[in-house]
Amino acid sequence: MPHQLRKLAGTPFQVMPGTLPQVLPKSIVMTNGAVCAGSNRCSGFISSTGLRLEAGLIRGWGAEGTRERTYFRNSRSPSNNSIDLHLTHSEAPMKAALLNAFGTPLSIETLPDPVIGTGEVIVDVVATGVASYAHGVFSGARNYLLEPPLVPGAGAIGRVRAVGPDSTRLAVGDWVYCDPTIRARDNAINPDTILQGWTARNPAALSLHRFYHHGSFATQMLVPTENVTAIGDLEERDAGKWCALSQLLVPFGGLLAGELQPGDSVLVNGATGGFGSAGVVAALAMGAAKVVAAGRNQQKLDELARRLGPRVSCVRMTGHVDDTRRICELAEGEIDLALDILPRGASASQVLAGAKALRRGGRLVLMGGVRKTGEDEPALPYDWLMHNEITLRGQWMYPRVAIPQMVSMIRAGLVSLTKFNVTEFALDDANEAVAFAADNAGPLSLVVIKLR
Ligand SMILES: NC(=O)c1ccc[n+]([C@@H]2O[C@H](COP(=O)([O-])OP(=O)(O)OC[C@H]3O[C@@H](n4cnc5c(N)ncnc54)[C@H](OP(=O)(O)O)[C@@H]3O)[C@@H](O)[C@H]2O)c1
């Protein structure tokens, strides 16, 4: 149960009577902005929003207008009824990698700190993933709907720096996942949507993009409250690994949309890519009996099978009609659910080779970046869909509820983050991170910018 300290005008903090746990020391005072506790081992500042106390936990943050901000965490010592405050981190002004214009390198700059409003949270970004195709977004080749100059970057792991007045659960210092999928609040059925720092789904969503403009390649980020999910405590050194959440959630959204059932045989078409391989991990965690991983690169397929175990079997896609038959053989004729997450360059025949492996009554979920025109467009035959009673579903990203579900699967050990190889770069080396991600796309590999 939370306990609050109330800030009075002037210097000292006063404790609201009757609200504090017995073990709180009498020595927490504020003198000229400094927090002193017990032996005065550390000091910092108290914000106008106060110091929040939960059972056994003290968190505070810097006074507005001060450049230096400090988090505190306490450890209780039941024997002497005292609380030690430990400095967990402090930081400099907001630093970011800025995309000034399409086709220009990211420029590392100092930007004004974001200013919090109602319905928002400011997060200290600790780690953020770099997509294999980030270079195509920043060069403009992908034609993403986004308006530079901006700080790019979709999704982050970080710690809450400040919460708006309407937040009921989040507390300063909480470890969180920042979901880039921002849905407009003024249309429940068909909300205009953006990926923060990445793209707007349609021109109508541009006002949202202009407001939540900056993404995660920065030390701080302003995020709508509903896009911030607490993920539980973790060691700062593990924040890079937790960026796998972004990779996992995308295919997880597709597998949820395809209503994966325990015992299903699942095909992942594009399984050697970043999102595809995470899709294999997610399908196994959701109870698939067999996952057929389809890709063109035998070496990457072998690596995937070796790392993910006997429920995974692999098919090297050759581009011939034979591909479908070999998938069916591996699945003993019964693919219940096919997740297509092929990249933009994939051909129509690659898409169809996977789709056609479905059993009668099977479900096909399309999530890939495939964009073709005319004859190159994958044409799913009417007669095949009808006679085979196929359910066809497109899916962009994932519902909000998928986030705590995936976090629970990770916490329960159903999904192991140790399956992912993480390569970390500092923010100063953001351009190198983007180039590295493009050159080293592969199964279960994450490229991460580490901000702290
Ligand atoms: N729907 C959504 O919500 C959503 C969200 C995020 C991303 N996406 C889309 O998901 C797609 C995959 O992203 P990713 O990051 O996983 O990509 P990636 O890491 O670059 O992987 C793509 C993989 O596809 C395989 N591939 C098959 N045919 C290919 C071809 N003709 N040309 C190039 N590669 C080919 C490659 O492996 P092999 O060489 O082994 O075949 C490659 O490793 C992207 O296009 C992206 O737009 C969708």
Side-chain angles (χ1 to χ4, degrees), residues 203-278:
L206 276 173
S207 54
L208 207 52
H209 168 61
R210 286 170 194 144
F211 186 74
Y212 291 109
H213 195 55
H214 293 313
S216 56
F217 288 11
T219 52
Q220 292 179 52
M221 223 179 141
L222 179 75
V223 189
T225 308
E226 65 271 26
N227 283 61
V228 178
T229 301
I231 58 175
D233 277 347
L234 55 101
E235 296 293 331
E236 196 162 284
R237 64 172 176 273
D238 290 335
K241 232 185 280 172
W242 273 86
C243 289
L245 247 188
S246 295
Q247 294 279 79
L248 287 159
L249 281 166
V250 168
F252 184 47
L255 296 168
L256 289 173
E259 298 180 5
L260 191 155
Q261 302 298 309
D264 269 357
S265 287
V266 177
L267 168 70
V268 178
N269 199 5
T272 47
F275 290 111
S277 56

Side-chain angles (χ1 to χ4, degrees), residues 173-221:
D174 280 353
W175 280 97
V176 291
Y177 171 66
C178 302
D179 176 13
T181 323
I182 302 180
R183 299 166 177 93
R185 292 158 172 163
D186 48 8
N187 188 325
I189 291 180
N190 184 19
D192 294 312
T193 308
I194 62 165
L195 295 184
Q196 186 175 9
W198 207 241
T199 188
R201 193 166 67 174
N202 56 356
L206 276 173
S207 54
L208 207 52
H209 168 61
R210 286 170 194 144
F211 186 74
Y212 291 109
H213 195 55
H214 293 313
S216 56
F217 288 11
T219 52
Q220 292 179 52
M221 223 179 141

Side-chain angles (χ1 to χ4, degrees), residues 278-331:
V280 178
V281 173
L284 293 171
M286 291 168 79
K290 185 183 275 285
V291 182
V292 178
R296 301 170 308 168
N297 183 315
Q298 189 63 56
Q299 206 183 342
K300 288 181 182 175
L301 288 169
D302 291 344
E303 172 71 4
L304 196 62
R306 187 184 64 73
R307 279 159 74 182
L308 298 184
R311 279 189 288 152
V312 177
S313 25
C314 298
V315 172
R316 192 173 83 80
M317 303 292 268
T318 60
H320 297 117
V321 277
D322 194 37
D323 287 343
T324 305
R325 183 185 57 75
R326 287 182 303 116
I327 295 170
C328 289
E329 265 173 23
L330 269 180

